[in-house]
Amino acid sequence: MERLPGFRDFYPEPLPSKDAWSADARRYLFDSWRSVARRYGFREYDGPPLEPLELYTAKSGDEIVGQLYNFVDKGDRAVAMRPEMTPTLARMVAAHQRNYPKPIKWFSIPQLFRYERQQKGRLREHFQLNADVFGENDRAADAELIALLIDSLRSLGLTEADFVVRLSSRNAWQEFFTRGGGTPESSYAFFQVIDKLEREQESESAAKLASLGFSLEAVKGFIAAAQPTEELQQILGNLEARGLKEFIKIDYNVIRGLAYYTGPVFEAFDRKGEFRAIAGGGRYDNLVKLVSGGRVELPALGFGMGDVVLMELLRARGKLPAFTSGVEVYCLVEEESRRPAALRMVQALRDAGRAVEYPLTPAKPDKQFKRAMELGARWVVQPEMLADGTFQARVKELSTRQERTVPLSELVASLQAV
Ligand code: HAM
């Protein structure tokens, strides 16, 4: 049986093939994301992977709605696998925001599902670090989030030579659009043309813009000028004070495809432009109101950082560490008569927090040694019988080949001391 196209198996290292996905690398990535989010004071939340279809229709935008994995369940409910976390989060926050002091700063690492055309950096499931802030209008919150995004990538060993955050604002485009005579009903259609500008034929973009009363030249001129608006200057100033300005570029090509963004928006890309977006986000001050049927109003902002593109980038730049089994101690069972004593040692070491491996069934000692080396264990230990029938432990340090014997009762402490 084959797995479905666009879905992944994650294997422990060493990987069975060059294009296999590493469960160790995934754990490393998630640990790193969690630790940075914690440093920024974000709390972890989670939600259901299956949601009412209605949560997405009209809220996320046509593109994502067209990519939904949706079906009717056995209770006749129209449901969808979550294609993104933001609507779920808006629903959760709307339901219980009163219980939490503002600003609410939450993060999550959901697996998301989109029935996309498969291409490099795009699969039908992926994981995303989502970090969002609710209840804060000040631009300081936008800067704080962008700083978190930057540090999430820096903690993985990436520098300003590796990636850039392209900062823009829907407000800037909205002003441009209104100044040019655009009407509120057609502003999202206009945003969508801008969103596709870098991917679509010029003639096609020009035709779409003309139908909205705009020229491609005017749009291109606005992008080329890259004049930061007042709100973007505030964000830049804040990031400059942290020493993070080098990571930012004002770039009005970015406008974001999703329907709900209302203010500053941003996307992170590799500097060389070889990969698709690593992350994207921005302000969405109306979504909580929309999802709660007008009951709750709360300004919001956040970003999502995907694991697929990021992993491709880390691999390409040689930034992933070597992953080992994590086994620290290998317990040799030289003779089956010593197995009960060996099991006692294994249990004691594991109780003390050591990662211990041993042969489940009889095996030649040289094979066991080989296995200990493969696992990268630091110590090989084994029980040795004394003349009076009791046991002591023989400990070998694999890197130095030094051996010593210790009473069984001191084994745990003797490894801890080193
Ligand atoms: P998004 O731009 O759709 O935003 O996704 C964010 C990131 O997830 C992308 O930059 C990309 O790295 C990754 N990604 C998206 N789709 C796929 C896919 N099919 N395969 C692999 N990776 C993918 C959102 O989802 C927003 N909800 C983010 C957000 C949170 N905005 C505010 N809060």
Side-chain angles (χ1 to χ4, degrees), residues 64 83-86 112 114 116 121-126 128 130-132 256 258 260-261 267 277-282 284 301-309:
I64 249 188
E84 58 159 337
M85 198 58 167
T86 315
L112 307 172
R114 299 183 189 180
E116 294 213 47
R122 282 284 174 277
L123 300 173
R124 289 185 174 165
E125 56 69 29
H126 69 284
Q128 252 184 34
N130 271 247
D132 294 81
R256 306 280 297 141
L258 291 156
Y260 46 66
Y261 292 110
E267 281 181 347
I278 305 165
Y284 50 98
L301 60 155
F303 71 83
M305 176 180 291
D307 70 323
V308 179
V309 176

Side-chain angles (χ1 to χ4, degrees), residues 35-319:
S35 115
V36 182
R38 188 191 54 78
R39 264 152 50 197
Y40 273 75
F42 281 65
R43 302 292 305 274
E44 189 159 1
Y45 70 95
D46 202 358
L50 198 66
E51 288 276 20
L53 175 63
E54 209 195 346
L55 186 63
Y56 305 109
T57 46
K59 293 171 189 86
S60 300
D62 298 343
E63 192 168 321
I64 249 188
V65 170
Q67 295 167 346
L68 282 174
Y69 266 95
N70 61 304
F71 56 94
V72 176
D73 76 3
K74 289 175 184 168
D76 262 344
R77 292 176 205 92
V79 295
M81 306 278 283
R82 60 185 175 197
E84 58 159 337
M85 198 58 167
T86 315
T88 297
L89 175 59
R91 174 175 59 68
M92 286 172 62
V93 168
H96 291 295
Q97 53 98 14
R98 279 166 187 240
N99 296 64
Y100 296 93
K102 314 292 174 306
I104 292 171
K105 294 164 67 182
W106 286 0
F107 83 96
S108 189
I109 309 181
Q111 189 173 22
L112 307 172
F113 304 88
R114 299 183 189 180
Y115 198 88
E116 294 213 47
R117 196 165 52 81
Q118 257 194 95
Q119 44 196 308
K120 189 168 165 243
R122 282 284 174 277
L123 300 173
R124 289 185 174 165
E125 56 69 29
H126 69 284
F127 292 89
Q128 252 184 34
L129 165 66
N130 271 247
D132 294 81
V133 178
F134 291 83
E136 185 52 73
N137 274 313
D138 199 280
R139 298 292 163 236
D142 304 65
E144 176 80 350
L145 255 180
I146 295 170
L148 167 59
L149 189 164
I150 293 170
D151 278 344
S152 307
L153 296 175
R154 284 176 70 220
S155 318
L156 296 161
L158 297 168
T159 67
E160 70 258 36
D162 299 307
F163 74 93
V164 60
V165 178
R166 299 161 72 186
L167 177 61
S168 173
S169 174
R170 281 203 176 171
N171 293 331
W173 275 114
Q174 187 65 55
E175 267 170 39
F176 173 91
F177 184 69
T178 311
R179 233 185 304 125
T183 54
E185 314 80 67
S186 52
S187 69
Y188 183 54
F190 175 76
F191 290 169
Q192 284 186 308
V193 183
I194 305 298
D195 183 48
K196 295 203 171 67
L197 219 50
E198 288 179 307
R199 283 168 274 154
E200 224 163 48
Q201 291 278 333
E202 283 213 339
S203 54
E204 204 163 321
S205 300
K208 284 185 188 164
L209 285 170
S211 75
L212 294 163
F214 287 83
S215 77
L216 183 61
E217 287 65 42
V219 162
K220 280 184 155 181
F222 181 72
I223 295 171
Q227 270 308 319
T229 55
E230 177 63 32
E231 61 176 359
L232 294 186
Q233 273 170 20
Q234 284 173 23
I235 297 172
L236 285 175
N238 184 307
L239 290 165
E240 188 171 14
R242 303 170 196 238
L244 296 179
K245 199 173 167 220
E246 299 314 309
F247 291 92
I248 311 286
K249 181 185 171 211
I250 297 294
D251 188 341
Y252 289 130
N253 278 300
V254 172
I255 194 162
R256 306 280 297 141
L258 291 156
Y260 46 66
Y261 292 110
T262 54
V265 285
F266 47 87
E267 281 181 347
F269 282 86
D270 69 292
R271 278 273 181 199
K272 292 189 187 160
E274 284 172 36
F275 301 92
R276 302 187 59 132
I278 305 165
R283 265 205 182 259
Y284 50 98
D285 286 344
N286 300 331
L287 188 63
V288 173
K289 190 174 175 193
L290 190 68
V291 167
S292 66
R295 223 173 18 86
V296 184
E297 261 185 79
L298 214 52
L301 60 155
F303 71 83
M305 176 180 291
D307 70 323
V308 179
V309 176
L310 182 51
M311 208 54 94
E312 285 175 352
L313 178 64
L314 290 172
R315 260 193 216 173
R317 303 286 178 265
K319 300 285 185 189

Side-chain angles (χ1 to χ4, degrees), residues 323-370:
F323 297 105
T324 56
S325 69
V327 167
E328 300 170 283
V329 189
Y330 191 92
C331 184
L332 209 76
V333 186
E334 204 166 20
E335 271 176 36
E336 283 310 300
S337 64
R338 296 189 204 160
R339 186 170 286 274
L343 286 172
R344 237 184 352 264
M345 283 168 59
V346 168
Q347 190 64 34
L349 286 165
R350 286 178 174 167
D351 282 350
R354 291 293 185 191
V356 187
E357 192 51 296
Y358 70 98
L360 286 176
T361 54
K364 293 210 175 88
D366 57 338
K367 277 222 169 124
Q368 295 184 44
F369 249 109
K370 197 167 154 245

